[in-house]
Every structure is written in structure tokens, then in C-alpha cells.
Amino acid sequence: MTAPSKVHLLRTGTMECDQTWLLLKPGATITDRANTRKEAVWTTCPTHAVLIEHPDGRILWDTGVPRDWETRWAPTGLQEFFPVQEGTTYLEDSLAALELTPDDIDVLVLSHLHFDHAANAKLFAGGRTRIVVNSEEHEGALGIDGPFKGAHLKADYEGIDYELVSGDAEIAPGVSVIATPGHTWGTMSLRVDLPETGTKIFTSDAVYLGESWGPPAIGAAIVWDSVRWLESVEKLRRIAEETNAEVIFGHDPEQAAALPFAPDGYFA
């Protein structure tokens, strides 16, 4: 049976934002009567991709933010709320550090179609790469009226020939997606079972931060369906406990600072 041999974490751009987008926590983003004039907490919001070296081919999970973020996001106005740091490392930079280009990727799996996860999807749309997305996410994101809705920007993802999956699904032996809706219609998380270090779960935006994880889970400002989101977090918690998995959150700056990002390290 084939199995993944190595997992690289790739830097794909660091945004900045008001912490309220990521966390609605009493005492942090929610003030009490003694702090009615407390200033907003401005934080970093790193993005990442996951590159899986597998006997069946190279699998990439997510694509991060685009180089032209300021002009591309201008129609949404969200470039004012999520500016990308100067000097950030983009997906192409991280691939190049491993002597790779988008043409070297066999499968691209998109956790969902928000503009900080699917922005570079068209780099892989030349026909060589299978591009996988959840069927509910595909239906919802392609069905919005107008060019964008919230962080779904049609220019990022329309016109691509997708392979659709639903529910929990195996991408390759030892690599599977976990249906974790709530943040969006069809948000997925990633599970990789490695021979040496065991199971890794990459939550994407099903869980932004370690502080969001709980228990109890703590919500955020961007949630499409709060009930389904909470169910998804508890589903991930059950799987993590059953497999003794290491859980890597979607946008946690403190956790990211301690992770083995490429090209300096990897999971095996």
C-alpha cells in the first residue's frame, strides 16, 4: 500500500487584520464595561499551503494569497481589512525554494474558494493538474450573484474544470479530506497519515486559531452557519483524539512560528 512520504508546509502570504475576524472571545475581542474604549487588536494572519510527496504524485493543498492582492481585491473592499505584509512569501516563491513550479503539481485540493485559499488556483488550470473542490462549495461559490460575495471572488475560481467530491473522501492512500462545513458551504479539512510522525490534520478555516479550538470552541466573525461550524469543530476533535493527531490551524501566527516550514523542514 502506498503512503505519503513527506509533507512540506509552504508559506503563501501573511495578511494583517482586526483579530475580531478570527476570534470572538470575551476579554479579548469582546470587551467588558471596564474597557468600553479598548482599542481593536490588530494581528497577523498567516496563510499556508501543504505539499504532500506521495508515490502517486505531488498533492498540493490550498494556494494562499495572490501577488496582485491589492488590485484584485479592490472590488470587494477587503484589501483595506486584510492587507498583505510587504516582503511576504507567496506560493510561487515557496515552490521555487523546493525547485518546483505549478507544472510539477499532480493534484490541487482546495479547502474552500475564499480569496486567501483559492487565489492562485488558475496557475494550475492548464490541464495537467487535477483540481479538487467540495461539491457544495462549488455550487455555492459559482452560484453567487455578481462578481463577488464576501471573500468569494469569482475571478479566482470560475472557468476551472474541477473534480468534485462530497463528504469525507480519500484523495490518495493516506491522504483524505474531511467535510467540515460552517465557515463556508463546503469547507474541507485535510488529514495526512504519515509513517513516522503519525496523523496530521490541517483544519483550514474550519478552525482559525489554537484559541478557537477550545474546548469549548470559540467562534469568529466570518462563519456562514454557526451550528454546522460547531459540529465540524467537534468532528475534527473526535478524529484528532481517535488518531492522536497533530492539529495545524488555518491562520494561527503563534503556532506558525513554531512549525517546520519549507525549505528548512518538513513532516515525515
Side-chain angles (χ1 to χ4, degrees), residues 152-212:
H152 282 101
L153 184 59
K154 277 186 173 178
D156 289 340
Y157 55 77
E158 64 183 351
I160 294 175
D161 184 16
Y162 292 100
E163 178 180 322
L164 303 182
V165 297
S166 60
D168 301 344
E170 183 180 76
I171 303 301
V175 180
S176 58
V177 291
I178 305 167
T180 49
H183 172 69
T184 67
W185 309 280
T187 298
M188 300 189 295
S189 300
L190 174 69
R191 171 178 171 173
V192 184
D193 298 311
L194 285 164
E196 293 182 20
T197 59
T199 299
K200 311 295 178 187
I201 294 176
F202 301 89
T203 67
S204 182
D205 286 0
V207 187
Y208 287 134
L209 309 168
E211 284 190 271
S212 313

Side-chain angles (χ1 to χ4, degrees), residues 25 44 48 59 70 100 140 165 220 242:
K25 183 179 180 180
T44 56
H48 63 255
I59 303 168
E70 186 142 23
L100 298 172
V165 297
E242 290 167 0

Side-chain angles (χ1 to χ4, degrees), residues 52-224:
I52 304 163
E53 300 281 358
H54 196 284
D56 292 351
R58 291 189 182 94
I59 303 168
L60 182 67
W61 167 260
D62 277 350
T63 71
V65 301
R67 289 186 185 276
D68 62 346
W69 62 272
E70 186 142 23
T71 54
R72 197 188 303 189
W73 296 354
T76 72
L78 291 176
Q79 79 283 0
E80 300 297 332
F81 293 88
F82 297 94
V84 178
Q85 287 187 334
E86 185 132 356
T88 202
T89 300
Y90 293 97
L91 174 64
E92 303 99 310
D93 305 323
S94 290
L95 287 173
L98 295 173
E99 299 183 346
L100 298 172
T101 73
D103 289 340
D104 294 307
I105 304 303
D106 298 289
V107 183
L108 170 64
V109 185
L110 297 170
S111 65
H112 61 299
L113 296 175
H114 272 171
F115 63 17
D116 56 328
H117 293 263
N120 294 301
K122 289 186 177 179
L123 295 176
F124 304 88
R128 186 201 179 292
T129 305
R130 292 167 50 205
I131 303 180
V132 180
V133 74
N134 176 273
S135 57
E136 290 187 44
E137 182 72 8
H138 182 267
E139 180 182 2
L142 271 297
I144 62 176
D145 293 329
F148 68 91
K149 184 175 183 180
H152 282 101
L153 184 59
K154 277 186 173 178
D156 289 340
Y157 55 77
E158 64 183 351
I160 294 175
D161 184 16
Y162 292 100
E163 178 180 322
L164 303 182
V165 297
S166 60
D168 301 344
E170 183 180 76
I171 303 301
V175 180
S176 58
V177 291
I178 305 167
T180 49
H183 172 69
T184 67
W185 309 280
T187 298
M188 300 189 295
S189 300
L190 174 69
R191 171 178 171 173
V192 184
D193 298 311
L194 285 164
E196 293 182 20
T197 59
T199 299
K200 311 295 178 187
I201 294 176
F202 301 89
T203 67
S204 182
D205 286 0
V207 187
Y208 287 134
L209 309 168
E211 284 190 271
S212 313
W213 182 238
I218 300 172
I222 308 176
V223 177
W224 165 69

